[in-house]
C-alpha cells in the first residue's frame, strides 16, 4: 500500500486458536445462509444466530473457482462512490485496474475485500464513507452467491491515518508507548474502533507490533510502541482488545518484525540479521501477546530474516515463517494478510504473478493491493487449474476469511447508517478521550533552569517557528500555526513562522529577526540529522539570548543533535492532537508525564546512551 505508504467481551476468542473445530462464530441463520447463497442481501429479522463451520463450508461449496480466488484479494479503488465516482477517479480506475467503479471491480473479480485510502478519494467525510461502504456491500451482495465485503484501512493514528477530521484523531503508537498506559491503549482502540465500525470499515491494519530498536529505521520509527518488547507487548494486547471489543478486526503487523532495519520495504528489500534467539527476545513478544489477546488478523512483512528462513525469500512468501512459525509454533489460526503487494520488498526476487501464488503457498489468506489485480488474480486461478495450488488450500483461507466476516456480523448486518455515524464519529466524548490520552504522552526531555513551563507574564509574546510538513492524518495544520493557536488559547500572544524541514540561510535569518520582538521562541524540529540545517536554526535562535524551547514533532532522537537546547519536549507526531497536548505542557496547563519508550543515543558517540528508556521530567 502507498505510505505517504500501511461488541465482544474481553475474553472472547477471535478465531486465532490452533484448533478450528472448537471455534464458534456469529453469522446468519441457516435460512440467511441460503439467501446469501442465492445472492440476496444478508439481513436476518431476528438478529444474528450462532452458526458453526458447516454453514460456512456450505457457502464455500457453492462458490465457483473464480469466486474462491476473488475472496483472497483486498484491492484499492479510486472514488468516493461505489457506482458514481468523479470522472478523474473513473479515469484512474480504468488506467490502473481496467474498470470504472468499485462495483465493477467487485463484479469482475468477486473481491473479498476493499482497502480505503485518502489519496484514492475514498475518505472525504464520514457520511460519504458510510455511503461508499454501503454501496460496496450492495454491489457484492447483489451478485449471484454474493458475500459481504471486508472493508479495511490503515488507521494507525499518529502519522498514518486515512480517515481525517471530523473523525477523532488519536496519538500514534510511540506516543502511546510514552504514556505506558494499558488503559489508554485499550481506550484508543475502543474509540478508534467504534468510529471505524460506524463507517463500515471493519478491518484495521493496526496495531503495529514492530519493536523499534533501530533509530535509523526509515519506515517504522514513531509508528512503533517503542524499543522495549515487553512494554510494547502489554500495550499492543490492550489496544487489540479495545479495537475488537468495538467490532473491528485489529491487525498485528509486520510479522515477523520490522523494527530493526535501515531499509524501507516500500522501496527496497530489508534484511533482519537477528539470530533466532534475538528474534524470540526482541521481535516476537508483541506478536505473541496480540495472539493471546485474540488478534483477528496478522500482516506479513516484506523482509528477509535468514535465521528464520535461509532461502532468501521475503517473510510474505516464506512457508517456514508463516506456516511453520506463525501457525505452527505460535498457534495462530486467524487471517494472515500480506502487506501491500505493490511494495518493492516483495517484488525484487519474483514477478507479480509468482508473488501472489507463492504467498498463498506460504500460508497467506488475504492478498493485499497487488499492483495489477488482473495479473495476480489470474495467476492464482491458473495455479489452481494446473495443480500448483489445490482448491482445498484456497478453501482453508476462504473459511478463515468467512469466519472473520461472520464474527463481525457482516452476514447479518453489513450496512451502516448516517445516524450511527453521527452517534459515533468525532463525538465530544471521543475528542475528550483523545486529548486525555495525548496529555499522558508528551515527554519533557530537557528543562535546564526550569525554563518550562513558560510564564505568561514574562514570556507573553511567543514566536513559533519550524517546519510545516504535510499533515499526516488530514488534521488542521500547518504545524506551526496549530502550536501557536494552542499557546494563544493559554493566554500567550503568538506569531507563527514556517522555516521548513531544511531551513535556508534566508529562512534562518528571518526567524532570528522575528525573535527580536518575542519574549520566548518555540522551535519545532522534524527528523534532525547531523547535517540538518535545522541545527543551524536552533543554534542561531539560542545565540539571540531569548528563551528557546525545542519541540521535536516526530522523532525524539532530535534531542541528541541539539546539545545547547535548555528545554526540549517530544510529541512523537505533528498531528493536531499531539502538538496541542505538547503546547499545553509548554504553557503549564498540563504537567508532563510521558517517558521515553526508546533510548536516545549520543550523536557524537552512538554507543553511549544519552537518555535511557523511561527518561522523562515533570513539573
Amino acid at each position: 500500500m502507498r505510505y505517504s505508504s500501511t461488541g465482544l467481551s474481553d475474553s472472547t476468542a477471535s478465531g486465532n486458536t490452533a484448533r478450528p473445530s472448537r471455534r464458534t462464530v456469529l453469522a446468519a441463520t441457516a435460512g440467511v445462509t441460503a439467501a446469501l447463497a442465492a445472492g440476496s442481501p444478508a439481513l436476518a429479522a431476528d438478529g444474528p444466530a450462532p452458526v458453526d463451520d458447516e454453514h460456512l463450508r456450505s457457502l464455500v461449496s457453492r462458490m465457483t473457482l473464480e469466486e474462491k480466488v476473488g475472496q483472497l484479494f483486498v484491492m484499492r479503488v479510486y472514488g468516493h462512490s461505489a457506482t458514481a465516482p468523479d470522472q478523474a477517479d473513473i479515469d484512474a480506475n480504468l488506467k490502473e485496474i481496467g474498470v470504472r467503479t468499485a462495483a465493477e471491480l467487485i463484479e469482475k473479480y468477486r473481491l473479498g475485500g476493499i482497502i480505503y485510502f485518502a489519496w484514492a478519494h475514498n475518505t472525504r467525510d464520514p457520511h460519504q464513507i458510510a455511503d461508499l461502504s454501503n454501496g460496496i456491500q450492495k454491489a457484492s451482495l447483489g451478485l449471484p452467491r454474493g458475500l459481504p465485503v471486508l472493508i479495511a484501512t490503515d488507521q494507525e493514528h499518529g502519522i498514518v491515518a486515512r480517515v481525517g477530521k471530523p473523525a477523532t484523531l488519536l496519538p500514534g503508537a510511540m506516543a502511546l508507548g510514552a504514556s505506558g498506559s494499558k488503559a489508554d491503549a485499550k481506550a484508543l482502540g475502543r474509540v478508534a474502533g467504534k468510529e471505524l465500525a460506524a463507517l463500515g470499515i471493519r478491518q484495521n491494519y493496526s496495531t503495529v507490533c514492530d519493536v523499534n530498536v533501530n533509530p535509523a529505521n526509515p519506515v517504522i520509527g514513531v509508528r512503533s510502541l517503542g524499543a522495549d518488547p515487553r512494554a510494547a507487548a502489554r500495550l499492543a494486547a490492550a489496544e487489540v482488545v479495545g479495537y475488537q471489543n468495538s467490532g473491528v478486526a485489529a491487525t498485528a503487523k509486520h510479522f515477523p518484525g520490522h523494527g530493526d532495519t535501515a531499509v524501507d520495504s516500500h522501496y527496497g528489500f530489508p534484511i533482519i540479521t537477528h539470530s533466532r534467539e534475538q528474534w524470540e527476545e526482541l521481535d516476537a513478544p508483541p506478536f505473541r501477546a496480540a495472539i493471546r489477546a485474540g488478534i483477528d488478523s496478522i500482516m506479513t512483512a516484506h523482509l528477509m530474516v535468514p535465521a528464520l528462513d535461509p532461502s532468501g525469500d521475503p517473510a510474505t512468501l516464506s512457508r517456514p515463517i508463516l506456516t511453520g512459525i506463525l501457525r505452527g509454533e505460535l498457534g495462530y489460526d486467524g487471517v494472515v494478510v500480506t502487506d501491500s503487494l505493490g511494495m518493492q520488498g516483495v517484488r525484487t526476487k519474483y514477478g507479480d504473478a509468482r508473488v501472489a501464488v507463492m504467498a498463498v503457498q506460504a500460508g497467506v489468506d488475504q492478498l493485499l493491493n497487488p499492483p495489477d489485480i488482473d495479473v495476480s488474480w489470474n495467476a492464482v486461478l491458473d495455479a489452481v487449474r494446473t495443480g500448483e495450488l489445490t482448491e482445498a488450500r484456497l478453501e482453508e483461507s476462504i473459511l478463515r476469511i468467512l469466519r472473520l466476516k461472520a464474527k463481525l456480523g457482516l452476514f447479518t448486518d453489513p450496512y451502516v447508517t448516517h445516524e450511527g455515524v453521527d452517534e459515533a464519529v468525532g463525538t465530544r466524548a471521543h475528542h475528550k478521550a483523545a486529548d486525555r490520552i495525548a496529555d499522558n504522552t508528551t515527554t519533557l526531555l530537557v528543562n535546564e533552569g526550569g525554563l518550562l513551563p513558560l510564564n505568561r507574564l514574562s514570556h507573553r509574546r511567543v514566536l513559533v517557528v519550524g517546519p510545516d510538513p504535510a499533515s499526516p492524518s488530514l488534521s488542521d495544520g500547518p504545524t506551526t500555526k496549530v502550536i501557536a493557536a494552542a499557546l494563544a488559547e493559554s493566554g500567550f500572544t503568538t506569531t507563527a513562522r514556517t522555516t521548513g524541514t531544511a531551513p535556508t540561510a534566508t529562512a534562518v535569518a528571518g526567524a532570528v529577526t522575528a525573535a527580536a520582538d518575542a519574549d520566548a521562541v518555540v522551535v519545532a524540529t522534524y527528523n534532525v540529522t547531523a547535517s540538518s540545517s535545522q541545527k543551524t536554526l536552533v543554534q542561531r535562535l539560542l545565540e539571540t539570548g531569548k528563551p528557546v524551547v525545542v519541540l521535536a514533532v516526530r522523532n525524539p532522537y532530535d534531542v541528541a543533535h541539539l546539545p545547547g537546547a535548555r528545554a526540549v519536549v517530544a510529541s512523537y507526531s505533528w498531528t493536531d492532537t499531539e502538538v496541542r497536548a505538547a503546547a499545553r505542557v509548554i504553557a503549564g496547563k498540563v504537567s508532563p508525564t510521558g517517558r521515553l519508550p526508546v533510548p536516545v543515543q549520543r550523536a557524537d558517540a552512538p554507543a553511549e546512551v544519552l537518555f535511557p528508556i523511561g527518561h522523562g521530567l515533570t513539573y
Side-chain angles (χ1 to χ4, degrees):
M1 82 197 55
R2 234 194 254 180
Y3 165 65
S4 278
S5 40
T6 109
L8 303 170
S9 67
D10 289 6
S11 60
T12 298
S14 300
N16 64 329
T17 65
R19 298 179 294 279
S21 61
R22 297 182 60 189
R23 301 179 53 176
T24 58
V25 295
L26 292 176
T29 62
V32 174
T33 300
L36 272 174
S40 300
L43 297 176
D46 298 324
V51 174
D52 61 26
D53 274 3
E54 290 309 309
H55 292 83
L56 300 178
R57 293 181 193 277
S58 178
L59 278 180
V60 176
S61 71
R62 295 182 176 94
M63 297 167 65
T64 67
L65 177 57
E66 290 80 3
E67 290 164 4
K68 291 176 182 179
V69 171
Q71 277 297 300
L72 305 186
F73 283 90
V74 182
M75 188 61 183
R76 71 191 179 277
V77 64
Y78 289 88
H80 71 287
S81 165
T83 56
D86 294 340
Q87 186 61 48
D89 292 323
I90 291 174
D91 294 342
N93 285 329
L94 287 170
K95 180 180 179 180
E96 289 190 20
I97 52 184
V99 298
R100 294 165 52 86
T101 67
E104 290 181 10
L105 176 65
I106 291 166
E107 181 178 11
K108 183 174 182 179
Y109 295 105
R110 301 305 293 263
L111 295 181
I114 292 286
I115 179 172
Y116 287 170
F117 290 106
W119 52 260
H121 310 140
N122 304 139
T123 58
R124 289 181 179 178
D125 65 73
H127 284 179
Q128 167 269 316
I129 298 170
D131 291 342
L132 174 60
S133 298
N134 286 341
I136 285 170
Q137 299 295 1
K138 182 179 180 181
S140 184
L141 292 169
L143 296 170
R145 297 167 302 280
L147 294 171
V149 176
L150 186 54
I151 298 171
T153 198
D154 286 295
Q155 192 78 351
E156 295 175 12
H157 290 279
I159 71 169
V160 177
R162 312 305 186 193
V163 181
K165 295 178 72 171
T168 305
L169 299 172
L170 292 129
M174 192 171 285
L176 193 60
S179 83
S181 169
K182 289 175 61 178
D184 284 352
K186 186 176 180 181
L188 184 149
R190 183 175 63 250
V191 168
K194 285 182 178 179
E195 298 202 4
L196 290 175
L199 299 170
I201 300 170
R202 304 302 296 277
Q203 184 178 26
N204 188 23
Y205 297 138
S206 189
T207 296
V208 176
C209 287
D210 305 310
V211 181
N212 200 74
V213 296
N214 188 341
N217 195 322
V219 63
I220 304 301
V222 294
R223 298 168 64 199
S224 164
L225 288 160
D228 181 340
R230 279 151 295 281
R234 289 192 299 272
L235 295 174
E239 190 172 323
V240 167
V241 171
Y243 271 113
Q244 297 190 176
N245 281 359
S246 297
V248 167
T251 307
K253 64 185 187 185
H254 308 78
F255 189 83
H258 211 313
D260 189 9
T261 173
V263 175
D264 184 342
S265 54
H266 290 85
Y267 311 109
F269 186 28
I271 300 174
I272 304 294
T273 58
H274 291 177
S275 67
R276 176 61 191 252
E277 293 73 21
Q278 287 175 315
W279 178 80
E280 291 280 1
E281 175 68 19
L282 294 175
D283 301 293
F287 292 100
R288 290 185 183 274
I291 291 170
R292 287 194 299 269
I295 190 79
D296 282 328
S297 55
I298 292 179
M299 179 179 284
T300 68
H302 301 327
L303 47 75
M304 178 177 25
V305 189
L308 303 185
D309 179 1
S311 70
D313 288 341
T316 298
L317 309 182
S318 169
R319 186 169 178 83
I321 290 175
L322 298 187
T323 298
I325 295 175
L326 179 57
R327 296 210 187 277
E329 296 180 23
L330 302 189
Y332 177 71
D333 192 40
V335 170
V336 172
V337 56
T338 70
D339 205 343
S340 171
L341 295 181
M343 293 166 57
Q344 192 61 32
V346 79
R347 303 176 74 192
T348 55
K349 191 174 179 181
Y350 305 99
D352 292 334
R354 291 303 306 154
V355 163
V357 174
M358 292 179 68
V360 176
Q361 290 174 326
V364 159
D365 303 306
Q366 289 183 305
L367 300 164
L368 177 61
N369 200 26
D372 188 324
I373 181 67
D374 199 65
V375 167
S376 298
W377 188 89
N378 278 293
V380 175
L381 183 67
D382 290 344
V384 179
R385 286 173 170 167
T386 61
E388 185 179 9
L389 284 173
T390 67
E391 201 161 346
R393 168 66 194 88
L394 261 62
E395 291 175 357
E396 290 177 13
S397 289
I398 294 166
L399 189 57
R400 291 190 187 102
I401 294 166
L402 294 186
R403 284 171 180 155
L404 180 52
K405 292 180 180 182
K407 175 199 164 183
L408 296 170
L410 288 172
F411 286 110
T412 56
D413 192 8
Y415 299 109
V416 293
T417 66
H418 285 191
E419 291 78 10
V421 169
D422 295 340
E423 291 172 1
V425 178
T427 64
R428 182 185 300 271
H430 285 179
H431 284 300
K432 285 185 177 179
D435 287 341
R436 178 186 57 76
I437 294 169
D439 282 340
N440 296 333
T441 67
T442 306
T443 307
L444 179 59
L445 301 176
V446 178
N447 193 22
E448 294 180 7
L451 174 57
L452 291 179
L454 293 180
N455 186 296
R456 283 186 296 278
L457 297 178
S458 56
H459 304 126
R460 182 175 62 83
R461 297 171 301 170
V462 178
L463 171 67
V464 180
V465 300
D468 283 327
S471 169
S473 56
L474 313 177
S475 51
D476 287 345
T479 305
T480 53
K481 290 186 178 179
V482 173
I483 297 169
L487 290 172
E489 290 174 7
S490 294
F492 295 90
T493 300
T494 59
T495 303
R497 187 183 186 96
T498 185
T499 50
T501 56
T504 63
T506 300
V508 171
V512 169
T513 299
D517 294 326
D519 301 312
V521 179
V522 174
V523 53
T525 62
Y526 178 96
N527 292 2
V528 179
T529 63
S531 59
S532 174
S533 57
Q534 292 180 71
K535 290 176 59 178
T536 303
L537 172 65
V538 173
Q539 184 58 42
R540 290 286 307 280
L541 289 170
L542 289 170
E543 290 170 359
T544 66
K546 301 285 185 176
V548 174
V549 179
V550 174
L551 172 54
V553 298
R554 182 165 180 166
N555 291 335
Y557 310 115
D558 287 5
V559 65
H561 298 282
L562 306 169
R566 290 174 50 202
V568 182
V569 177
S571 68
Y572 306 99
S573 175
W574 62 106
T575 61
D576 293 0
T577 302
E578 289 174 86
V579 297
R580 283 182 174 278
R584 289 192 290 271
V585 165
I586 292 169
K589 293 288 187 180
V590 172
S591 295
T593 58
R595 299 289 183 267
L596 274 176
V598 293
V600 175
Q601 283 86 15
R602 291 174 55 104
D604 56 350
E608 298 181 25
V609 174
L610 179 64
F611 297 118
I613 291 176
H615 172 77
L617 308 175
T618 191
Y619 301 148

